[in-house]
């Protein structure tokens, strides 16, 4: 399966997917939205089974909204998405806010915990923390650990 990037006028399936499985997610037209679809049979409509968003914040990128349909979890789709994005992640310029239980997953894809972040990213992270969300701030680093 290949990650498909949706244009801003053709995101209805992604909106439905997020509303169903991550209802608090708010997609922005500024974000890039990538999805994986089920393999299409002649009689079957394609269905979004995984999605991810890349949100520009100044000259930086926030990876957000990684979501795999519950029926397709534990099949390596999230790893496949991350591997397909590796070529576009910029060293020290791509960030994410991870749930503590997912930090090992992101570490497998060259993200490291950090406190060295630009102010725009830090402000957004702090906003989530004030809302009581337990998150870990991580950045992409292609340097050998």
């Amino acid at each position: 399966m290949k990650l498909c990037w949706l244009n801003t006028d053709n995101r209805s399936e992604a909106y439905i997917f997020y509303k169903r499985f991550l209802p608090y997610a708010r997609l922005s037209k500024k974000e890039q939205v990538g999805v994986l679809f089920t393999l299409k049979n002649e009689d079957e409509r394609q269905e979004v089974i995984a999605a991810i968003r890349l949100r520009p914040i100044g000259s930086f990128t926030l990876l957000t909204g990684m979501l795999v349909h519950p029926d397709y979890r534990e099949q390596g789709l999230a790893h496949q998405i991350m591997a397909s994005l590796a070529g576009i992640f910029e060293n020290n310029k791509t960030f994410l806010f991870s749930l503590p239980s997912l930090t090992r997953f992101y570490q497998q894809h060259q993200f490291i915990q950090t406190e060295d972040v630009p102010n725009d990213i830090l402000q957004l992270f702090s906003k989530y923390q004030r809302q009581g969300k337990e998150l870990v701030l991580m950045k992409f680093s292609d340097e050998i650990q």
Side-chain angles (χ1 to χ4, degrees):
M1 281 183 245
K2 184 180 175 193
L3 189 65
C4 301
W5 294 102
L6 304 178
N7 65 44
T8 55
D9 298 330
N10 189 21
R11 294 185 175 179
S12 60
E13 291 169 319
Y15 284 113
I16 293 167
F17 180 69
Y18 276 108
K19 185 175 183 179
R20 184 172 174 201
F21 297 109
L22 198 65
Y24 60 84
R26 300 290 175 253
L27 279 67
S28 162
K29 288 193 178 223
K30 293 179 183 177
E31 296 173 336
Q32 294 180 330
V33 178
V35 298
L36 291 179
F37 289 103
T38 54
L39 296 176
K40 191 174 188 176
N41 294 335
E42 290 179 26
D43 302 334
E44 209 175 314
R45 198 177 129 246
Q46 277 189 317
E47 179 185 12
V48 174
I49 58 171
I52 192 161
R53 299 174 2 237
L54 299 177
R55 179 178 174 185
I57 298 180
S59 62
F60 302 96
T61 301
L62 182 67
L63 186 152
T64 186
M66 166 80 85
L67 180 61
V68 176
H69 188 294
D71 294 345
Y72 292 88
R73 292 183 183 160
E74 303 296 325
Q75 296 180 30
L77 294 178
H79 286 290
Q80 181 181 334
I81 290 171
M82 293 298 288
S84 70
L85 294 174
I88 63 172
F89 292 152
E90 290 188 68
N91 194 40
N92 299 316
K93 291 188 126 205
T94 304
F95 296 86
L96 61 85
F97 307 151
S98 174
L99 294 171
S101 60
L102 293 175
T103 57
R104 292 180 65 89
F105 167 80
Y106 289 114
Q107 287 169 342
Q108 293 175 46
H109 296 281
Q110 295 182 272
F111 280 84
I112 59 170
Q113 286 185 241
T114 187
E115 293 179 10
D116 178 28
V117 295
N119 190 50
D120 290 346
I121 300 287
L122 184 58
Q123 284 181 358
L124 186 57
F125 183 73
S126 297
K127 174 184 167 188
Y128 288 132
Q129 283 188 314
R130 285 190 302 274
Q131 294 172 356
K133 296 180 181 176
E134 188 178 341
L135 297 169
V136 177
L137 183 52
M138 303 182 82
K139 72 176 176 182
F140 181 75
S141 177
D142 61 6
E143 298 167 6
I144 295 174
Q145 302 298 311

